[in-house]
């Protein structure tokens, strides 16, 4: 099993669940989930490019 992937999504889901409880808006928590996924992907790509140089 890919524990790194599972752990990342558990943390992301927990953050979105907390945001959902604070705001009461499903769409806002879904939007933040998507935003976190995009930012995480960009940071991982940036980090990998930095390690190559």
């Amino acid at each position: 099993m890919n524990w790194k992937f599972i752990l990342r999504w558990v943390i992301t889901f927990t953050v979105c669940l907390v945001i959902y409880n604070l705001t009461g808006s499903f769409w806002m928590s879904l939007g933040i989930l998507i935003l976190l996924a995009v930012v995480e992907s960009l940071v991982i790509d940036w980090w990998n490019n930095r390690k190559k140089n």
Side-chain angles (χ1 to χ4, degrees):
M1 291 183 95
N2 191 352
W3 289 106
K4 189 176 181 181
F5 174 79
I6 293 170
L7 184 62
R8 254 188 357 228
W9 275 103
V10 165
I11 292 170
T12 305
F13 178 75
T14 304
V15 168
C16 289
L17 190 61
V18 168
I19 292 169
Y20 175 72
N21 285 333
L22 291 175
T23 63
S25 172
F26 169 76
W27 297 110
M28 183 177 285
S29 63
L30 183 64
I32 291 173
L33 175 66
I34 293 168
L35 183 66
L36 282 175
V38 168
V39 168
E40 180 184 14
S41 175
L42 290 173
V43 167
I44 289 171
D45 288 342
W46 175 78
W47 186 257
N48 287 336
N49 287 338
R50 184 177 167 101
K51 283 188 348 187
K52 285 180 184 177
N53 295 336

